[in-house]
Amino acid sequence: MTEKEKRDQGLWYDANFDNELLAERLEAEGTIFELNHLHPREAARKRELLEGLLGSLGKDVEILMPFNVDYGYNVHVGDGTFINHRAYLMDCAPITIGSHVFIGPSCGMYTAQHPLTVAERNAGLERALPITVEDGVWLGANVTILPGVTIGCGSVIGAGSVVARDIPAGVVAVGSPCRVVREITEADAPHND
């Protein structure tokens, strides 16, 4: 079994020294370099590069630069999603972002886990678990999402939160570690007074 196959099955794999994975990351890094150096008016080229880099890219998606991924092909973004400056999507496992998601600046989604033991960590071992952000989620600035987490439809994650466990749909959650504060209700809708 190749290191890539191990990775894709959620097993421990050699993330640092495998030539196939190193080549894939270098290819993605080249595309990211070009993306992050485009003039903002080069929207068509930006879209072309993103479509070639990411696993799937919905309609009317806005991704502000700088932006970073490890592989790109494990990132899937739904229609109408907005990703603000300095997002880092560590896509060793799939990162699925639904439609109409708002992602604040400097958000990080990290699928990789490293061993707690020094020798295995220094040997380059890691394991990758998928992240899912369902439709209509809002992530505030500087949110960190850890491996294996799902955030349910329509939830809001407060700025600076570290999401280490699944968050259900339709709630406000904040903190480090991130915890549910309350449900989102009709009373939260803006009203004209």
Side-chain angles (χ1 to χ4, degrees):
M1 183 181 306
T2 68
E3 297 304 307
K4 184 174 179 176
E5 289 168 337
K6 290 178 192 175
R7 180 199 69 183
D8 292 347
Q9 291 182 28
L11 303 173
W12 293 102
Y13 71 101
D14 176 359
N16 290 356
F17 306 109
D18 180 73
N19 288 331
E20 178 183 17
L21 295 176
L22 288 169
E24 288 185 353
R25 287 197 304 271
L26 184 59
E27 181 69 25
E29 191 174 350
T31 302
I32 286 294
F33 180 85
E34 185 175 350
L35 266 168
N36 286 330
H37 289 85
L38 286 175
H39 192 282
R41 286 191 292 263
E42 295 182 77
R45 179 66 178 146
K46 178 180 172 182
R47 178 75 191 196
E48 178 185 352
L49 288 170
L50 285 168
E51 285 177 346
L53 176 67
L54 303 183
S56 60
L57 185 65
K59 298 176 189 169
D60 302 318
V61 171
E62 181 68 27
I63 300 176
L64 301 182
M65 302 300 125
F67 173 72
N68 207 355
V69 297
D70 279 6
Y71 297 95
Y73 57 73
N74 273 332
V75 175
H76 304 275
V77 182
D79 296 342
T81 286
F82 173 79
I83 301 175
N84 213 321
H85 300 284
R86 295 178 306 282
Y88 176 30
L89 309 182
M90 182 189 281
D91 65 321
C92 306
I95 296 176
T96 304
I97 300 169
S99 295
H100 305 287
V101 173
F102 287 8
I103 298 177
S106 300
C107 282
M109 300 183 194
Y110 305 102
T111 63
Q113 291 182 324
H114 300 284
L116 297 178
T117 52
V118 174
E120 287 76 13
R121 193 167 54 246
N122 288 344
L125 290 180
E126 72 178 43
R127 178 173 64 177
L129 302 173
I131 291 172
T132 302
V133 178
E134 295 181 350
D135 294 347
V137 167
W138 174 19
L139 305 176
N142 297 300
V143 167
T144 298
I145 303 174
L146 298 181
V149 166
T150 295
I151 299 175
C153 186
S155 285
V156 175
I157 308 297
S161 295
V162 177
V163 188
R165 296 185 180 172
D166 290 353
I167 301 296
V171 299
V172 174
V174 299
S176 179
C178 190
R179 291 190 167 91
V180 174
V181 175
R182 64 180 178 86
E183 290 185 10
I184 297 171
T185 69
E186 288 299 317
D188 292 308
H191 299 285
N192 292 326
D193 296 331

